[in-house]
Amino acid sequence: MKFADRADIYIRSGRGGDGCASFRRELYVPDGGPDGGDGGKGGDLIFVVDEGMNTLADFRQKRKYCAGNGEPGRKRRCHGANGANMVVKVPPGTIIKDTETGKVILDMSNKTEPVVLLEGGRGGKGNQHYATSTMQAPKYAQPGQKAKELYVSLELKVIADVGLVGFPNVGKSTFLSRVTNAKPKIANYHFTTLNPNLGVVDLADGNGFVIADIPGIIEGASEGVGLGFEFLRHIERTKVNIHIVDAASVEGRDPIADIHAIMNELISYNPEIAKRPQVIAANKIDAMTEEDRETAVELLKDEFEKDGMKVFPISAVTGEGVKELLWYVNDLLKELPEKPTEFEQEFFLENKEEAEEPILVYYNEEDGLYDVEGPRIQRMLGYTNLESEKGFNFFQKFLKENGILDELERLGIQEGDTVRLYELEFDYYK
């Protein structure tokens, strides 16, 4: 079984509905004007924290999340319906990254309100908006804006004030079950628990904190050995780490070597984690003689307290020394920021340009010429001086780059035929 703390999904907002190009057709109204309605807005893609979730397991079954498209506008100025939003629920502590680059888009750890990650496309305008004094019957409408899509990776990083770290079988699960209401499975396993177990430590007078048993770290974890990356990412959230070591060396482990090995893994994975307060719990003192206990604890203090890592001799089985350790950690946390570590945004979604307004090119049989219409044509004619050489060159380039010349040729235009752009007419020559 693999702990579901990472998942890759595809997300997409809704496309905007197209505007409608229609004209009022009623008895006794011979010259009905344009009455095309606007298209509906596409649905938003929204992320929201669900406190009841604690894994990303649901995302292993469903990997595609799409908002609804806006409906097209209709005649008689009827507005198309807006597309339905897609709400994606994630557990607290979820980070959303761009799959391709691995950069952080959004950290949901401190988000209490829904977050719109991909906005739905705006609906296109109907032809009723494009009527002017010179063009009272526009035959074009604006298309809806395209949907926005993204492949993202979800990563769950446990939100806990304190992390318990240590090699397998040093007593982390026993310690957690003693100090919290958590019920981790406890056995003499030489492999690690797969799920980080969370519990709340309740001390007197409203004091307390959230603690997590981070699954056992092995040497090479920072290089991805075993399930290294799966577990190390959970430590990124913690403010204080408690190193649980087997001070009695029940299984022949060297507690000093174990702490150095784990610190090296933390430094290799993320140096910032190693800079946070570290506390040492010298566990299993109940299995030692008084003399051996003093010797083991003294060796640990000599090695690590000079670096600010305070050592507490404890017994997770009998509870000896546990309260002193918890109160020390509680006071330590009061000196640190209250909010959990939040990852800064590294990847910024580009604001794609609005869907380009259409350019309509068609043969006008009644007048025997080719018409070119559209809001962009009107704007271009408004700011271009066609009597200057520079302005005329810009005009020719505009026709070519926007595919107008290609469309005229597709319609069968011949040399000498007339092209009309509103009040401007010119003869076509290659």
Side-chain angles (χ1 to χ4, degrees):
M1 174 186 173
K2 184 178 181 184
F3 177 55
D5 64 352
R6 190 178 188 282
D8 295 325
I9 63 172
Y10 167 81
I11 57 175
R12 190 190 72 204
S13 63
R15 181 186 185 280
D18 294 335
C20 175
S22 68
F23 297 89
R24 187 179 173 195
R25 295 286 183 264
E26 294 180 32
L27 196 61
Y28 310 121
V29 184
D31 298 314
D35 70 348
D38 299 346
K41 177 185 177 298
D44 296 332
L45 193 292
I46 302 170
F47 276 91
V48 63
V49 169
D50 183 345
E51 297 287 346
M53 296 175 67
N54 54 23
T55 75
L56 297 174
D58 292 350
F59 297 97
R60 300 202 179 281
Q61 307 301 320
K62 183 180 178 183
R63 295 178 179 270
K64 196 173 183 181
Y65 295 82
C66 304
N69 295 326
E71 292 186 0
R74 298 185 296 278
K75 56 180 62 180
R76 296 185 179 179
R77 300 176 184 265
C78 288
H79 195 291
N82 293 336
N85 294 333
M86 168 58 74
V87 178
V88 182
K89 295 180 179 180
V90 295
T94 300
I95 292 186
I96 302 161
K97 293 184 176 181
D98 173 58
T99 299
E100 186 178 348
T101 63
K103 293 184 176 179
V104 175
I105 301 172
L106 181 64
D107 183 348
M108 298 295 291
S109 63
N110 295 319
K111 302 292 186 293
T112 56
E113 299 294 327
V115 178
V116 176
L117 189 62
L118 299 179
E119 286 190 8
R122 55 125 182 87
K125 293 179 180 178
N127 67 337
Q128 60 172 310
H129 295 280
Y130 297 114
T132 65
S133 57
T134 56
M135 171 48 94
Q136 297 183 9
K139 300 179 178 67
Y140 50 83
Q142 186 182 37
Q145 188 180 18
K146 293 179 182 178
K148 296 174 182 176
E149 58 180 8
L150 204 59
Y151 286 91
V152 297
S153 298
L154 306 181
E155 287 187 4
L156 176 58
K157 299 179 189 288
V158 171
I159 297 180
D161 301 306
V162 177
L164 295 181
V165 294
F167 282 86
N169 299 324
V170 293
K172 298 197 313 302
S173 295
T174 305
F175 178 83
L176 187 72
S177 64
R178 168 165 287 279
V179 303
T180 75
N181 57 357
K183 299 289 183 249
K185 292 179 181 177
I186 300 171
N188 186 27
Y189 294 139
H190 287 268
F191 52 88
T192 180
T193 312
L194 288 178
N195 290 21
N197 290 298
L198 268 73
V200 177
V201 174
D202 286 319
L203 298 172
D205 303 321
N207 289 282
F209 49 86
V210 179
I211 191 167
D213 170 12
I214 305 298
I217 299 172
I218 60 173
E219 289 183 82
S222 60
E223 298 169 7
V225 173
L227 295 173
F229 284 141
E230 304 291 332
F231 300 142
L232 279 169
R233 65 167 56 100
H234 292 296
I235 302 177
E236 292 188 77
R237 294 285 194 195
T238 58
K239 301 172 187 175
V240 175
N241 290 318
I242 299 176
H243 293 254
I244 305 277
V245 293
D246 178 1
S249 300
V250 172
E251 296 188 4
R253 300 201 66 89
D254 178 352
I256 292 177
D258 281 359
I259 295 172
H260 281 304
I262 288 178
M263 286 300 293
N264 287 337
E265 293 303 321
L266 297 183
I267 292 168
S268 298
Y269 181 72
N270 183 346
E272 290 301 313
I273 301 172
K275 293 177 184 176
R276 295 174 195 159
Q278 314 284 328
V279 181
I280 297 171
N283 193 24
K284 302 189 181 180
I285 59 171
D286 57 289
M288 306 169 71
T289 65
E290 190 68 33
E291 186 179 346
D292 288 344
R293 178 190 302 189
E294 289 180 7
T295 302
V297 172
E298 200 60 40
L299 287 170
L300 285 166
K301 287 184 175 182
D302 289 345
E303 183 71 18
F304 297 106
E305 287 200 340
K306 63 180 184 293
D307 297 322
M309 297 170 68
K310 192 166 177 61
V311 177
F312 287 86
I314 69 160
S315 169
V317 173
T318 67
E320 185 180 349
V322 170
K323 274 195 175 181
E324 292 83 349
L325 168 64
L326 296 179
W327 276 107
Y328 175 79
V329 171
N330 184 75
D331 293 340
L332 202 55
L333 287 169
K334 288 181 178 178
E335 301 172 8
L336 302 172
E338 284 187 18
K339 285 188 176 181
T341 303
E342 186 166 344
F343 294 85
E344 292 184 9
Q345 185 175 3
E346 302 169 323
F347 182 90
F348 296 88
L349 299 169
E350 293 180 9
N351 291 320
K352 295 181 180 178
E353 294 180 5
E354 295 281 307
E356 290 189 343
E357 294 163 310
I359 295 176
L360 191 65
V361 182
Y362 64 98
Y363 180 67
N364 189 321
E365 294 184 3
E366 187 178 336
D367 297 337
L369 47 73
Y370 292 85
D371 272 319
V372 181
E373 302 173 359
R376 292 169 62 208
I377 299 295
Q378 290 179 310
R379 287 198 295 270
M380 184 273 298
L381 293 175
Y383 58 65
T384 305
N385 179 10
L386 296 176
E387 294 181 2
S388 70
E389 183 179 354
K390 186 176 180 181
F392 188 74
N393 287 338
F394 172 80
F395 170 68
Q396 287 185 308
K397 185 179 179 183
F398 179 90
L399 296 179
K400 184 177 180 180
E401 290 183 349
N402 286 277
I404 296 170
L405 297 181
D406 289 341
E407 184 62 16
L408 288 169
E409 290 188 6
R410 191 188 69 78
L411 292 171
I413 196 169
Q414 302 295 318
E415 290 198 0
D417 287 348
T418 301
V419 179
R420 178 171 63 190
L421 288 80
Y422 295 100
E423 296 176 351
L424 172 70
E425 294 185 6
F426 66 92
D427 294 333
Y428 175 83
Y429 290 99
K430 284 191 173 182

PDB file of all heavy atoms in Angstrom, residues 200-218:
ATOM      1  N   VAL A 200      -3.434  15.247  18.930  1.00  0.00           N
ATOM      2  CA  VAL A 200      -3.401  16.541  19.624  1.00  0.00           C
ATOM      3  C   VAL A 200      -2.911  16.320  21.048  1.00  0.00           C
ATOM      4  O   VAL A 200      -3.459  15.494  21.787  1.00  0.00           O
ATOM      5  CB  VAL A 200      -4.797  17.196  19.639  1.00  0.00           C
ATOM      6  CG1 VAL A 200      -4.756  18.501  20.430  1.00  0.00           C
ATOM      7  CG2 VAL A 200      -5.288  17.440  18.226  1.00  0.00           C
ATOM      8  N   VAL A 201      -1.889  17.045  21.434  1.00  0.00           N
ATOM      9  CA  VAL A 201      -1.370  16.998  22.805  1.00  0.00           C
ATOM     10  C   VAL A 201      -2.112  18.053  23.616  1.00  0.00           C
ATOM     11  O   VAL A 201      -2.055  19.244  23.299  1.00  0.00           O
ATOM     12  CB  VAL A 201       0.147  17.293  22.833  1.00  0.00           C
ATOM     13  CG1 VAL A 201       0.631  17.378  24.277  1.00  0.00           C
ATOM     14  CG2 VAL A 201       0.912  16.222  22.074  1.00  0.00           C
ATOM     15  N   ASP A 202      -2.854  17.638  24.629  1.00  0.00           N
ATOM     16  CA  ASP A 202      -3.594  18.571  25.496  1.00  0.00           C
ATOM     17  C   ASP A 202      -2.861  18.715  26.819  1.00  0.00           C
ATOM     18  O   ASP A 202      -2.759  17.758  27.594  1.00  0.00           O
ATOM     19  CB  ASP A 202      -5.018  18.058  25.749  1.00  0.00           C
ATOM     20  CG  ASP A 202      -5.905  18.221  24.537  1.00  0.00           C
ATOM     21  OD1 ASP A 202      -5.805  19.270  23.877  1.00  0.00           O
ATOM     22  OD2 ASP A 202      -6.684  17.299  24.238  1.00  0.00           O
ATOM     23  N   LEU A 203      -2.372  19.916  27.082  1.00  0.00           N
ATOM     24  CA  LEU A 203      -1.726  20.215  28.354  1.00  0.00           C
ATOM     25  C   LEU A 203      -2.666  21.091  29.180  1.00  0.00           C
ATOM     26  O   LEU A 203      -3.718  21.509  28.713  1.00  0.00           O
ATOM     27  CB  LEU A 203      -0.389  20.922  28.106  1.00  0.00           C
ATOM     28  CG  LEU A 203       0.647  20.090  27.319  1.00  0.00           C
ATOM     29  CD1 LEU A 203       1.843  20.946  26.961  1.00  0.00           C
ATOM     30  CD2 LEU A 203       1.080  18.869  28.115  1.00  0.00           C
ATOM     31  N   ALA A 204      -2.292  21.400  30.373  1.00  0.00           N
ATOM     32  CA  ALA A 204      -3.166  22.173  31.272  1.00  0.00           C
ATOM     33  C   ALA A 204      -3.370  23.603  30.781  1.00  0.00           C
ATOM     34  O   ALA A 204      -2.543  24.154  30.047  1.00  0.00           O
ATOM     35  CB  ALA A 204      -2.568  22.183  32.679  1.00  0.00           C
ATOM     36  N   ASP A 205      -4.513  24.201  31.207  1.00  0.00           N
ATOM     37  CA  ASP A 205      -4.815  25.620  30.953  1.00  0.00           C
ATOM     38  C   ASP A 205      -4.828  25.970  29.472  1.00  0.00           C
ATOM     39  O   ASP A 205      -4.361  27.044  29.047  1.00  0.00           O
ATOM     40  CB  ASP A 205      -3.805  26.521  31.676  1.00  0.00           C
ATOM     41  CG  ASP A 205      -3.773  26.266  33.175  1.00  0.00           C
ATOM     42  OD1 ASP A 205      -4.871  26.040  33.745  1.00  0.00           O
ATOM     43  OD2 ASP A 205      -2.671  26.272  33.757  1.00  0.00           O
ATOM     44  N   GLY A 206      -5.366  25.072  28.662  1.00  0.00           N
ATOM     45  CA  GLY A 206      -5.517  25.371  27.240  1.00  0.00           C
ATOM     46  C   GLY A 206      -4.247  25.274  26.422  1.00  0.00           C
ATOM     47  O   GLY A 206      -4.239  25.632  25.233  1.00  0.00           O
ATOM     48  N   ASN A 207      -3.170  24.825  27.008  1.00  0.00           N
ATOM     49  CA  ASN A 207      -1.929  24.646  26.253  1.00  0.00           C
ATOM     50  C   ASN A 207      -1.973  23.317  25.498  1.00  0.00           C
ATOM     51  O   ASN A 207      -2.635  22.364  25.904  1.00  0.00           O
ATOM     52  CB  ASN A 207      -0.721  24.656  27.198  1.00  0.00           C
ATOM     53  CG  ASN A 207      -0.442  26.028  27.766  1.00  0.00           C
ATOM     54  OD1 ASN A 207       0.128  26.882  27.099  1.00  0.00           O
ATOM     55  ND2 ASN A 207      -0.883  26.260  29.005  1.00  0.00           N
ATOM     56  N   GLY A 208      -1.245  23.274  24.398  1.00  0.00           N
ATOM     57  CA  GLY A 208      -1.198  22.042  23.616  1.00  0.00           C
ATOM     58  C   GLY A 208      -0.774  22.321  22.185  1.00  0.00           C
ATOM     59  O   GLY A 208      -0.572  23.469  21.782  1.00  0.00           O
ATOM     60  N   PHE A 209      -0.651  21.257  21.400  1.00  0.00           N
ATOM     61  CA  PHE A 209      -0.212  21.396  20.008  1.00  0.00           C
ATOM     62  C   PHE A 209      -0.537  20.122  19.239  1.00  0.00           C
ATOM     63  O   PHE A 209      -0.889  19.091  19.812  1.00  0.00           O
ATOM     64  CB  PHE A 209       1.289  21.708  19.940  1.00  0.00           C
ATOM     65  CG  PHE A 209       2.151  20.809  20.777  1.00  0.00           C
ATOM     66  CD1 PHE A 209       2.608  19.583  20.287  1.00  0.00           C
ATOM     67  CD2 PHE A 209       2.514  21.177  22.079  1.00  0.00           C
ATOM     68  CE1 PHE A 209       3.406  18.758  21.064  1.00  0.00           C
ATOM     69  CE2 PHE A 209       3.313  20.351  22.863  1.00  0.00           C
ATOM     70  CZ  PHE A 209       3.763  19.136  22.352  1.00  0.00           C
ATOM     71  N   VAL A 210      -0.419  20.223  17.908  1.00  0.00           N
ATOM     72  CA  VAL A 210      -0.646  19.069  17.032  1.00  0.00           C
ATOM     73  C   VAL A 210       0.699  18.410  16.760  1.00  0.00           C
ATOM     74  O   VAL A 210       1.689  19.084  16.433  1.00  0.00           O
ATOM     75  CB  VAL A 210      -1.297  19.495  15.699  1.00  0.00           C
ATOM     76  CG1 VAL A 210      -1.501  18.274  14.793  1.00  0.00           C
ATOM     77  CG2 VAL A 210      -2.626  20.190  15.969  1.00  0.00           C
ATOM     78  N   ILE A 211       0.726  17.092  16.892  1.00  0.00           N
ATOM     79  CA  ILE A 211       1.972  16.364  16.718  1.00  0.00           C
ATOM     80  C   ILE A 211       1.749  15.250  15.686  1.00  0.00           C
ATOM     81  O   ILE A 211       0.669  14.675  15.603  1.00  0.00           O
ATOM     82  CB  ILE A 211       2.450  15.791  18.075  1.00  0.00           C
ATOM     83  CG1 ILE A 211       3.874  15.266  17.981  1.00  0.00           C
ATOM     84  CG2 ILE A 211       1.508  14.720  18.596  1.00  0.00           C
ATOM     85  CD1 ILE A 211       4.504  14.975  19.334  1.00  0.00           C
ATOM     86  N   ALA A 212       2.756  14.987  14.881  1.00  0.00           N
ATOM     87  CA  ALA A 212       2.650  13.956  13.840  1.00  0.00           C
ATOM     88  C   ALA A 212       3.814  12.996  13.930  1.00  0.00           C
ATOM     89  O   ALA A 212       4.973  13.405  14.051  1.00  0.00           O
ATOM     90  CB  ALA A 212       2.617  14.600  12.457  1.00  0.00           C
ATOM     91  N   ASP A 213       3.483  11.720  13.861  1.00  0.00           N
ATOM     92  CA  ASP A 213       4.508  10.681  13.780  1.00  0.00           C
ATOM     93  C   ASP A 213       4.882  10.548  12.311  1.00  0.00           C
ATOM     94  O   ASP A 213       4.168   9.921  11.535  1.00  0.00           O
ATOM     95  CB  ASP A 213       3.933   9.370  14.330  1.00  0.00           C
ATOM     96  CG  ASP A 213       4.860   8.179  14.052  1.00  0.00           C
ATOM     97  OD1 ASP A 213       6.014   8.420  13.656  1.00  0.00           O
ATOM     98  OD2 ASP A 213       4.418   7.038  14.224  1.00  0.00           O
ATOM     99  N   ILE A 214       5.980  11.210  11.931  1.00  0.00           N
ATOM    100  CA  ILE A 214       6.427  11.120  10.544  1.00  0.00           C
ATOM    101  C   ILE A 214       7.003   9.722  10.340  1.00  0.00           C
ATOM    102  O   ILE A 214       7.859   9.281  11.108  1.00  0.00           O
ATOM    103  CB  ILE A 214       7.515  12.179  10.237  1.00  0.00           C
ATOM    104  CG1 ILE A 214       7.015  13.586  10.592  1.00  0.00           C
ATOM    105  CG2 ILE A 214       7.917  12.111   8.765  1.00  0.00           C
ATOM    106  CD1 ILE A 214       5.818  14.059   9.843  1.00  0.00           C
ATOM    107  N   PRO A 215       6.537   9.007   9.321  1.00  0.00           N
ATOM    108  CA  PRO A 215       7.029   7.646   9.120  1.00  0.00           C
ATOM    109  C   PRO A 215       8.552   7.567   9.131  1.00  0.00           C
ATOM    110  O   PRO A 215       9.230   8.496   8.698  1.00  0.00           O
ATOM    111  CB  PRO A 215       6.464   7.278   7.750  1.00  0.00           C
ATOM    112  CG  PRO A 215       5.216   8.080   7.663  1.00  0.00           C
ATOM    113  CD  PRO A 215       5.542   9.385   8.328  1.00  0.00           C
ATOM    114  N   GLY A 216       9.057   6.459   9.654  1.00  0.00           N
ATOM    115  CA  GLY A 216      10.498   6.287   9.867  1.00  0.00           C
ATOM    116  C   GLY A 216      11.343   6.629   8.659  1.00  0.00           C
ATOM    117  O   GLY A 216      11.054   6.236   7.544  1.00  0.00           O
ATOM    118  N   ILE A 217      12.376   7.395   8.902  1.00  0.00           N
ATOM    119  CA  ILE A 217      13.285   7.815   7.837  1.00  0.00           C
ATOM    120  C   ILE A 217      14.474   6.861   7.809  1.00  0.00           C
ATOM    121  O   ILE A 217      14.998   6.464   8.846  1.00  0.00           O
ATOM    122  CB  ILE A 217      13.770   9.259   8.078  1.00  0.00           C
ATOM    123  CG1 ILE A 217      12.575  10.220   8.088  1.00  0.00           C
ATOM    124  CG2 ILE A 217      14.762   9.679   7.017  1.00  0.00           C
ATOM    125  CD1 ILE A 217      12.935  11.623   8.513  1.00  0.00           C
ATOM    126  N   ILE A 218      14.880   6.509   6.614  1.00  0.00           N
ATOM    127  CA  ILE A 218      16.061   5.658   6.470  1.00  0.00           C
ATOM    128  C   ILE A 218      17.142   6.437   5.749  1.00  0.00           C
ATOM    129  O   ILE A 218      16.869   7.434   5.084  1.00  0.00           O
ATOM    130  CB  ILE A 218      15.735   4.368   5.687  1.00  0.00           C
ATOM    131  CG1 ILE A 218      15.216   4.723   4.281  1.00  0.00           C
ATOM    132  CG2 ILE A 218      14.726   3.508   6.422  1.00  0.00           C
ATOM    133  CD1 ILE A 218      15.028   3.524   3.378  1.00  0.00           C
TER     134      ILE A 218
END
